[in-house]
Amino acid sequence: MEKTKIRWNDEARAKILDDADRVLQEAVEATAASHADASPDEVYAELNRHLKDRFIDYEPGPDVRKYADAIVAGDIG
């Protein structure tokens, strides 16, 4: 079997993505609750602190900045 054929089936792939979304939601909610009055950079750093150990080879992307800005703006409810 070619190694490019080794992959999760669609059901497992969907669960992995759902789990990743849940981890992101929990990090955003926790950060919003504890850092509502912080600067965007502080919120961004806190989000990354919550996420970095939850994913293999985690690298922050534009989504993390988007959610940090939403927390600071009070848009997370």
Side-chain angles (χ1 to χ4, degrees):
M1 176 182 289
E2 296 176 32
K3 66 181 174 180
T4 58
K5 302 282 184 185
I6 301 169
R7 56 181 289 165
W8 297 108
N9 64 45
D10 290 340
E11 184 177 299
R13 184 179 298 276
K15 182 177 182 326
I16 290 166
L17 289 174
D18 287 344
D19 289 348
D21 286 345
R22 182 184 42 76
V23 167
L24 177 60
Q25 291 164 0
E26 290 172 357
V28 169
E29 290 172 355
T31 302
S34 65
H35 287 72
D37 296 330
S39 73
D41 288 339
E42 291 169 326
V43 172
Y44 180 76
E46 183 66 11
L47 281 173
N48 283 306
R49 188 186 70 72
H50 278 279
L51 296 169
K52 69 179 176 134
D53 293 332
R54 302 292 303 269
F55 296 97
I56 298 169
D57 295 334
Y58 172 75
E59 292 289 331
D63 286 347
V64 178
R65 177 59 70 183
K66 175 176 76 174
Y67 296 120
D69 291 343
I71 290 169
V72 172
D75 293 340
I76 303 296

